[in-house]
């Protein structure tokens, strides 16, 4: 397909003229595998045929096309607006991929399981940049690229190279650092809800995973219904003073009365969100016809599919009406494209917009111009219930309302699936095993938070009985919103072989 950009109406609207090969040599993009039957086989063609990514010659790496990169820019813009009160300072530190011996690599950290370690590169310089308590809180923000090894890479969800927002912050008090961490978890949760229409659970990784109790990791957990798996959508690491002691990042105590004032190690956080969020969005909302995109993130919110006129005069009238409609929708803040492709049926062209996930599309032809009425078709409702007739002069008010309804309904539908499959509260072992292992649900259960108990539940330390749950079962997080109180020495841990009492309700399930 060759596309010629013919007219720029404004930054939100582009008119395209399509030039194609003969119709008998091009098949419309179709989804050949059902999402429920084989998620992995379904997922990749969805993002390819939806024009989000393309393959490149390097295995495990993918090209982000304008559609996907435009969505990532909307994530950036949303965060820039909501993070403005925190007065972030932008910076960029190179962290290169390394393919050789990690032990001999620059910035290598003894005992580190990953390379490169961002903190080991950045924090030696923080020692130079933080000269006194007046420099705090310091929040350094970068939009960058990271690399990781993936045995089974998937575009957006698990790429060897991915886009990332990363903020490193330093505080003079523990309370200031903790307050920021809670604020960031709430902010990332709001991004998933308001921009991507995805419900998440806020919580903290089980402290049993960490050798240093001064460190904690806050996470937002999303759910992929098709696989009954949970996935980490964003993180906020609270490092406490562990790394500032390791790298000697200190300031003089401003409250000291004697000179010289004592040195205080700063309290540090690091919070991250990656382009994986777009992959979670695709996995959550899209269906067996193609992409389904929330209107707030979609590059094109409305597609006007122009029908063919039978005469030059009729075509001139149609073009005039199209320009007028585009102008009205633009004034209402709607991102719209006009499809005036010649030589293909309306059904063929509709299928392209369906696969691409455009939230709304309408036909505008001579009959619609004469009657001043069009049929609005919703991508999330492809059958009769998704068609609404509307007067052309009223579209600039009807369409914004319809887009808002689509955004909210996508969230409500995702939330209903999320609650149906992840709110199973299991307070006895038999129910826990049945819900988690056989039904593959996500369970909230009382837990002692001991590492040995956690290994037993995950199946890593099991004795080979049928109680071993498998390597994909994980303690996903300890949710901030607890379903009920657990009183130590009163509520037993879910594991019948455990001798400890429960401390919190923990969330167990299959991890993606």
């Amino acid at each position: 397909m060759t596309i010629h950009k013919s007219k720029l109406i404004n930054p939100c609207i582009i008119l395209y003229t399509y030039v194609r090969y003969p119709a008998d040599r091009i098949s419309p993009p179709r989804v050949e595998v059902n999402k429920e039957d084989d998620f992995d086989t379904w997922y990749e063609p969805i993002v390819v045929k939806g024009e989000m990514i393309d393959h490149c010659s390097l295995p495990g790496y993918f090209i982000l096309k304008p559609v996907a990169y435009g969505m990532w820019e909307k994530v950036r813009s949303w965060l820039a607006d909501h993070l403005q009160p925190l007065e972030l300072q932008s910076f960029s530190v190179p962290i290169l991929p390394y393919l050789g011996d990690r032990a001999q690599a620059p910035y290598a950290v003894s005992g580190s399981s990953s390379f490169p370690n961002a903190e080991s590169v950045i924090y030696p310089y923080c020692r130079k940049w933080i000269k006194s308590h007046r420099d705090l809180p310091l929040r350094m923000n970068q939009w960058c690229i990271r690399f990781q090894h993936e045995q089974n890479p998937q575009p957006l969800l698990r790429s060897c190279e991915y886009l990332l927002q990363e903020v490193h912050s330093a505080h003079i008090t523990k309370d200031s650092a903790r307050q920021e961490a809670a604020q960031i978890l709430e902010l990332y949760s709001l991004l998933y809800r308001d921009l991507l229409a995805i419900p998440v659970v806020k919580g903290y990784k089980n402290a049993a995973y960490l050798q240093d109790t001064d460190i904690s990791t806050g996470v937002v957990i999303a759910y992929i219904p098709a696989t009954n798996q949970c996935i980490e959508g964003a993180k906020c690491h609270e490092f406490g003073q562990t790394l500032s002691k390791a790298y000697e990042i200190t300031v003089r105590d401003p409250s000291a009365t004697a000179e010289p004032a004592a040195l205080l190690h700063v309290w540090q956080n690091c919070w991250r969100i990656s382009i994986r969020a777009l992959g979670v969005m695709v996995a959550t909302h899209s269906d067996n016809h193609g992409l389904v995109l929330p209107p707030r993130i979609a590059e094109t919110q409305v597609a006007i599919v122009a029908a063919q006129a039978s005469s030059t005069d009729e075509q001139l009238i149609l073009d005039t009406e199209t320009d007028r409609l585009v102008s009205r929708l633009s004034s209402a803040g709607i991102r719209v494209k006009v499809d005036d492709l010649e030589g293909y049926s309306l059904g063929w062209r509709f299928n392209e917009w369906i696969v691409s996930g455009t939230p709304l599309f309408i036909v505008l032809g001579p009959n619609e111009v004469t009657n001043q009425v069009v049929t609005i078709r919703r991508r999330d409702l492809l059958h009769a219930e998704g068609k609404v007739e509307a007067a052309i002069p009223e579209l600039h008010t009807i369409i914004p309302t319809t887009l808002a309804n689509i955004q909210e309904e996508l969230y409500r539908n995702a939330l209903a699936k999320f609650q149906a499959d992840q709110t199973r509260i299991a307070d006895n072992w038999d129910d826990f095993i049945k819900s988690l292992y056989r039904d593959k649900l996500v369970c909230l259960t009382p837990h002692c938070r001991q590492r040995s108990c956690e290994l037993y539940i995950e199946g890593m330390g099991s004795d080979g009985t049928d109680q071993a749950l498998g390597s994909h079962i994980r303690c996903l997080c300890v949710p901030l919103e607890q379903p009920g109180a657990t009183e130590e020495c009163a509520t037993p841990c879910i594991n019948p072989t455990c001798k400890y009492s429960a401390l919190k309700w923990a969330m167990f399930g299959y991890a993606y």
Side-chain angles (χ1 to χ4, degrees):
M1 177 173 63
T2 302
I3 303 178
H4 298 291
K5 191 181 297 183
S6 58
K7 188 194 302 185
L8 180 66
I9 303 298
N10 64 37
C12 293
I13 299 161
I14 300 175
L15 293 182
Y16 289 93
T17 300
Y18 292 76
V19 180
R20 293 185 179 248
Y21 299 104
D24 60 353
R25 292 163 59 184
I26 298 179
S27 299
R30 296 188 184 280
V31 181
E32 299 173 353
V33 177
N34 287 341
K35 182 180 184 180
E36 300 78 13
D37 297 337
D38 188 340
F39 175 83
D40 290 341
T41 305
W42 165 88
Y43 173 80
E44 191 162 323
I46 284 287
V47 292
V48 172
K49 294 178 180 180
E51 298 288 333
M52 292 186 70
I53 67 103
D54 207 344
H55 295 98
C56 69
S57 58
L58 191 60
Y61 292 77
F62 304 93
I63 298 171
L64 291 179
K65 301 182 77 172
V67 169
Y69 198 84
M71 294 180 192
W72 181 239
E73 287 182 324
K74 290 179 179 59
V75 171
R76 293 186 58 164
S77 178
W78 191 97
L79 284 171
D81 290 342
H82 288 77
L83 289 171
Q84 192 170 8
L86 295 183
E87 298 180 347
L88 304 184
Q89 299 183 39
S90 298
F91 81 121
S92 178
V93 174
I95 300 179
L96 299 177
Y98 185 75
L99 304 178
D101 182 2
R102 292 182 179 181
Q104 302 300 320
Y107 311 122
V109 178
S110 176
S112 175
S113 61
S114 63
F115 178 85
N117 182 296
E119 288 74 29
S120 68
V121 178
I122 295 170
Y123 287 173
Y125 296 97
C126 287
R127 185 172 52 197
K128 298 180 180 180
W129 301 334
I130 300 174
K131 295 182 175 61
S132 78
H133 69 277
R134 295 181 179 85
D135 297 324
L136 303 177
L138 176 66
R139 298 182 178 95
M140 300 177 294
N141 175 65
Q142 65 173 341
W143 295 90
C144 54
I145 296 175
R146 286 285 184 269
F147 301 87
Q148 63 187 5
H149 174 70
E150 287 290 352
Q151 290 184 336
N152 300 299
Q154 284 183 301
L156 302 177
L157 286 173
R158 284 181 172 175
S159 300
C160 294
E161 177 190 80
Y162 59 97
L163 300 179
L164 179 77
Q165 184 225 16
E166 180 178 78
V167 177
H168 296 270
S169 65
H171 305 258
I172 196 168
T173 65
K174 179 178 181 179
D175 287 344
S176 175
R178 284 284 172 90
Q179 182 180 3
E180 178 194 78
Q183 183 180 1
I184 294 308
L185 283 185
E186 182 64 32
L187 183 70
Y188 283 152
S189 301
L190 186 64
L191 183 149
Y192 270 91
R193 190 212 186 284
D194 286 359
L195 195 61
L196 306 176
I198 296 175
V200 295
V201 169
K202 295 176 293 182
Y204 278 84
K205 299 291 286 185
N206 194 0
Y209 276 108
L210 303 168
Q211 296 178 352
D212 191 332
T213 56
D214 195 29
I215 298 177
S216 61
T217 300
V219 292
V220 295
I221 302 291
Y223 177 67
I224 302 177
T227 61
N228 293 317
Q229 291 177 304
C230 290
I231 187 169
E232 289 182 0
K235 288 184 180 181
C236 180
H237 298 287
E238 297 178 48
F239 292 132
Q241 294 177 307
T242 301
L243 293 181
S244 67
K245 290 178 180 178
Y247 292 99
E248 286 299 321
I249 306 173
T250 60
V251 296
R252 295 288 178 182
D253 185 355
S255 62
T257 57
E259 293 292 341
L263 292 175
L264 299 177
H265 288 93
V266 301
W267 297 78
Q268 292 176 275
N269 294 335
C270 176
W271 22 289
R272 300 180 173 109
I273 189 170
S274 76
I275 201 167
R276 167 185 277 191
L278 299 185
V280 176
M281 175 198 68
V282 172
T284 300
H285 299 304
S286 300
D287 59 23
N288 295 327
H289 299 282
L291 293 177
V292 176
L293 302 178
R296 289 176 188 164
I297 197 72
E299 278 293 279
T300 301
Q301 295 174 315
V302 178
I304 300 176
V305 183
Q308 301 301 315
S310 58
S311 67
T312 303
D313 291 342
E314 202 173 56
Q315 185 64 50
L316 182 60
I317 295 173
L318 178 59
D319 291 343
T320 301
E321 187 64 38
T322 301
D323 290 345
R324 185 181 296 117
L325 177 57
V326 163
S327 179
R328 288 175 181 169
L329 294 179
S330 172
S331 298
I334 306 301
R335 298 186 291 274
V336 57
K337 284 183 180 178
V338 177
D339 176 359
D340 56 359
L341 176 65
E342 297 181 0
Y344 288 82
S345 68
L346 291 177
W348 198 101
R349 293 155 70 188
F350 280 156
N351 185 74
E352 284 201 310
W353 292 108
I354 289 171
V355 172
S356 71
T358 303
L360 291 177
F361 45 98
I362 61 178
V363 173
L364 186 63
N367 291 337
E368 286 75 18
V369 172
T370 300
N371 298 325
Q372 286 294 287
V373 173
V374 296
T375 300
I376 304 174
R377 290 170 168 82
R378 289 176 51 161
R379 170 61 184 90
D380 60 320
L381 301 172
L382 289 179
H383 303 294
E385 64 270 24
K387 298 179 181 180
V388 178
E389 288 193 350
I392 290 178
E394 299 175 1
L395 287 178
H396 66 289
T397 58
I398 293 174
I399 285 181
T401 301
T402 306
L403 291 173
N405 290 339
I406 294 173
Q407 184 83 23
E408 188 60 32
E409 287 181 24
L410 286 175
Y411 177 79
R412 285 202 301 265
N413 292 338
L415 181 61
K417 294 177 183 178
F418 192 74
Q419 291 176 334
D421 291 342
Q422 78 85 27
T423 55
R424 183 65 57 90
I425 295 178
D427 55 7
N428 70 77
W429 183 250
D430 290 338
D431 285 348
F432 180 65
I433 292 297
K434 175 181 178 295
S435 300
L436 188 63
Y437 184 50
R438 194 184 74 180
D439 299 335
K440 292 182 170 56
L441 301 179
V442 181
C443 292
L444 289 171
T445 190
H447 184 40
C448 65
R449 305 189 72 181
Q450 295 294 317
R451 178 60 170 161
S452 58
C453 181
E454 194 168 314
L455 287 174
Y456 180 86
I457 294 174
E458 292 177 354
M460 297 179 183
S462 67
D463 57 4
T465 67
D466 59 359
Q467 291 178 340
L469 302 185
S471 60
H472 293 292
I473 295 292
R474 292 288 182 271
C475 180
L476 302 166
C477 74
V478 177
L480 293 179
E481 295 183 10
Q482 294 279 297
T486 55
E487 298 180 7
E488 191 172 359
C489 301
T491 304
C493 178
I494 188 64
N495 182 358
T497 68
C498 179
K499 63 182 180 180
Y500 298 101
S501 298
L503 298 178
K504 290 284 186 179
W505 290 83
M507 188 168 141
F508 283 83
Y510 285 82
Y512 188 82

